[in-house]
């Protein structure tokens, strides 16, 4: 018998204005593949947990409740492409405060004994999937995104991402 799981990740979730700005920039690289990320799913992953036992969700929420970290500003100033994942993205440098938050979350989740494989943190918003080779990218107008909260997202196949909870960033 298989235990129910939920596919989860921590993320920064753009407000409507930032979402519009991301979509504007995406227009600069229109049609890269037939797998454009839907507008309503655009996000920046902080920590990917993947499939976790559904009955651990209350502990995951409680652990994130204990996170105390300051807000920060993300500068998204370049397009890029990951060869392995074959995704094209809008991204930028990782501020120290963002790295600290990711480290905090990783430590809190590891403390719960959850199995997940942390990847190096490269702040990016995936815009297109299944992009077979590195495109020629223009330079986007820089987007300054003030981050004052983080969220836990659940991903269910063929449904919009669902924000399960939002936490403020303030010390
Ligand atoms: P991606 O956008 O670079 O593909 C939901 O799948 C989110 O979690 C996406 O933002 C995706 O990143 C990220 N993600 C999926 N699998 C991952 C993994 N193994 N490690 C880190 N992030 C992952």
């Amino acid at each position: 018998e298989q235990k129910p799981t939920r596919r989860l990740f921590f993320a920064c979730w753009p407000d409507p204005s930032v979402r519009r700005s991301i979509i504007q920039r995406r227009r600069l690289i229109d049609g890269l593949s037939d797998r454009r990320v839907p507008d309503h799913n655009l996000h920046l992953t902080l920590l990917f947990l993947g499939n976790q036992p559904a009955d651990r969700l209350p502990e995951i929420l409680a652990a994130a409740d204990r996170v105390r970290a300051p807000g920060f500003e993300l500068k998204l100033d370049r397009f890029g492409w990951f060869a392995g994942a074959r995704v094209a993205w809008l991204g930028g440098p990782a501020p120290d405060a963002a790295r600290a938050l990711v480290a905090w979350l990783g430590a809190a989740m590891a403390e719960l004994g959850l199995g997940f494989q942390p990847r190096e943190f490269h702040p990016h918003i995936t815009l297109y999937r299944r992009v077979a080779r590195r495109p020629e990218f223009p330079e986007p107008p820089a987007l300054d995104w003030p981050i004052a909260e983080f969220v836990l997202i659940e991903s269910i196949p063929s449904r919009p991402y669902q924000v399960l909870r939002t936490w403020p960033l303030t010390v």
Side-chain angles (χ1 to χ4, degrees):
E1 194 186 312
Q2 229 173 351
K3 273 176 98 185
T5 61
R6 300 177 76 165
R7 183 180 157 93
L8 305 171
F9 58 95
F10 289 101
C12 298
W13 193 246
D15 68 18
S17 146
V18 171
R19 195 173 295 279
R20 277 195 299 275
S21 299
I22 296 165
I23 292 166
Q24 276 176 359
R25 283 154 183 78
R26 192 185 55 194
R27 290 206 189 99
L28 302 173
I29 58 166
D30 238 358
L32 272 193
S33 79
D34 55 10
R35 284 287 302 278
R36 192 173 83 181
V37 174
D39 296 356
H40 57 260
N41 276 352
L42 292 166
H43 70 280
L44 188 144
T45 296
L46 292 168
L47 183 73
F48 181 75
L49 298 177
N51 287 321
Q52 296 296 337
D55 60 6
R56 304 298 306 274
L57 183 58
E59 291 163 76
I60 293 170
L61 295 171
D65 284 346
R66 293 190 290 272
V67 171
R68 295 284 178 277
F72 49 87
E73 184 160 276
L74 281 174
K75 186 179 279 297
L76 305 175
D77 59 1
R78 65 198 75 160
F79 293 119
W81 177 76
F82 290 149
R86 301 167 115 213
V87 298
W89 45 261
L90 175 68
D96 288 343
R99 289 190 186 287
L101 173 60
V102 171
W104 239 109
L105 288 170
M109 297 303 121
E111 217 170 285
L112 296 180
L114 299 181
F116 62 99
Q117 277 112 42
R119 263 191 211 161
E120 216 191 313
F121 179 53
H122 293 293
H124 69 280
I125 297 171
T126 294
L127 303 175
Y128 283 93
R129 301 189 182 280
R130 284 202 209 137
V131 179
R133 56 191 77 76
R134 179 182 296 279
E136 287 282 344
F137 288 119
E139 197 180 308
L143 169 56
D144 291 310
W145 180 10
I147 308 286
E149 53 191 38
F150 68 97
V151 300
L152 182 67
I153 307 236
E154 176 167 20
S155 160
I156 299 174
S158 72
R159 290 204 212 159
Y161 289 147
Q162 200 192 337
V163 176
L164 297 182
R165 189 176 289 182
T166 302
W167 292 269
L169 288 170
T170 41
V171 197

